[in-house]
């Protein structure tokens, strides 16, 4: 079975959550996508890097979601979402996924 890196799952949750909310007009659907991907990522982070790392990455995921809102006022919605998704993906790779790639 192919393992999808947690970095991809987390970034997809941020981008997909925003996309679903925007295209459907239903913020709660976007929130559901965000929550499902965040939960899946947290599970992977815990398996690959332990509880403390998973907790820190989960905080980063939530902070990225929250931080994308004020950032969007400065750079636009999609650039903001891609920026925070990239930051979370990089952090996930550095802390958890890089171990799997070896």
């Amino acid at each position: 079975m192919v393992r999808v890196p947690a970095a991809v799952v987390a970034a997809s949750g941020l981008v997909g959550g925003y996309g679903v909310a925007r295209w459907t007009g239903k913020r709660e659907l976007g929130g559901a996508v965000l929550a499902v991907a965040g939960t899946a990522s947290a599970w992977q982070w815990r398996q690959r890097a332990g509880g403390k790392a998973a907790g820190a990455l989960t905080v980063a995921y939530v902070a990225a979601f929250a931080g994308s809102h004020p950032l969007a006022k400065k750079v636009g919605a999609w650039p903001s979402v891609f920026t925070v998704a990239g930051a979370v993906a990089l952090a996930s790779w550095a802390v958890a996924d890089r171990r799997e790639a070896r």
Side-chain angles (χ1 to χ4, degrees):
M1 185 169 168
V2 176
R3 290 183 127 177
V4 177
V8 173
V9 176
S12 297
L14 289 161
V15 173
Y18 175 69
V20 167
R22 182 169 178 139
W23 291 318
T24 65
K26 307 259 186 219
R27 294 177 70 165
E28 58 276 2
L29 288 178
V33 170
L34 184 78
V36 168
T39 301
S41 297
W43 183 84
Q44 287 182 307
W45 292 327
R46 183 171 167 81
Q47 295 297 313
R48 295 176 184 170
K52 287 183 182 180
L57 288 167
T58 300
V59 167
Y61 183 80
V62 173
F65 166 70
S68 70
H69 292 82
L71 182 60
K73 293 179 193 264
K74 295 180 181 180
V75 300
W78 281 110
S80 173
V81 170
F82 287 130
T83 298
V84 300
V88 168
L90 182 60
S92 176
W93 178 82
V95 174
D97 294 329
R98 177 173 58 161
R99 298 169 190 235
E100 285 286 312
R102 291 181 186 172

